Structure formats: structure tokens, C-alpha cells
Amino acid sequence: MNVTVCQSCGMPLTTPAQFGTEADGSTTREYCIYCYKEGKFEQPGMSLEGMTEMCTAILKDEGMDEESARSMLRNQLPF
């Protein structure tokens, strides 16, 4: 099964509501709405370490243990 993922944070994009938007309001399947809105990155200066920390916190809030979250992110985030 081929799953589209955000090219910035690695989030699986399973519904159109999760797709980022271009300046003209059209959607992009390359980035999620949390990373890319209205044709701009939400956190343009964020480092890979910062992205890892942010995503780890989100995954922990969703019930994943920290070690598993970090391991998954190391394997999934684009370098």
C-alpha cells in the first residue's frame, strides 16, 4: 500500500483535509496543513532536531512512548 506522507514532517496524509495549501488556495499533496499553509512553510527555520522534538511531543500526546516515537521519526523524517 502506497501512503502519501508530508515531505517535511513525515505525517501520513490520508484525507484531503490534511493536505497543505498553496497561495491560491489549491492543495498540495507534498506537505501537510501543519507544515505548509497558503504557500508558505509554517516553521521555515525549524531544524531536524526541532522537528523531531515537536513530532515526538505530538506522538506522546497520542499515546506512543517516547523511545518508540523517536525511533520512528529517525527512520521516517527526510534528511
Side-chain angles (χ1 to χ4, degrees):
M1 183 168 125
N2 240 351
V3 175
T4 301
V5 297
C6 175
Q7 297 301 300
S8 181
C9 71
M11 179 178 123
L13 303 174
T14 58
T15 66
Q18 295 171 324
F19 298 153
T21 56
E22 297 292 353
D24 65 3
S26 64
T27 58
T28 177
R29 295 178 62 93
E30 292 186 41
Y31 303 106
C32 74
I33 192 69
Y34 305 109
C35 290
Y36 193 75
K37 289 181 187 173
E38 299 174 356
K40 298 179 190 169
F41 285 100
E42 291 291 286
Q43 308 269 341
M46 185 175 282
S47 65
L48 178 59
E49 182 179 320
M51 181 67 73
T52 301
E53 292 303 314
M54 182 182 78
C55 291
T56 297
I58 292 167
L59 291 168
K60 282 177 59 179
D61 287 346
E62 293 178 354
M64 185 179 278
D65 70 273
E66 185 170 346
E67 186 177 324
S68 295
R70 287 187 185 283
S71 176
M72 182 186 76
L73 291 166
R74 277 193 297 273
N75 291 320
Q76 195 170 26
L77 288 175
F79 290 91

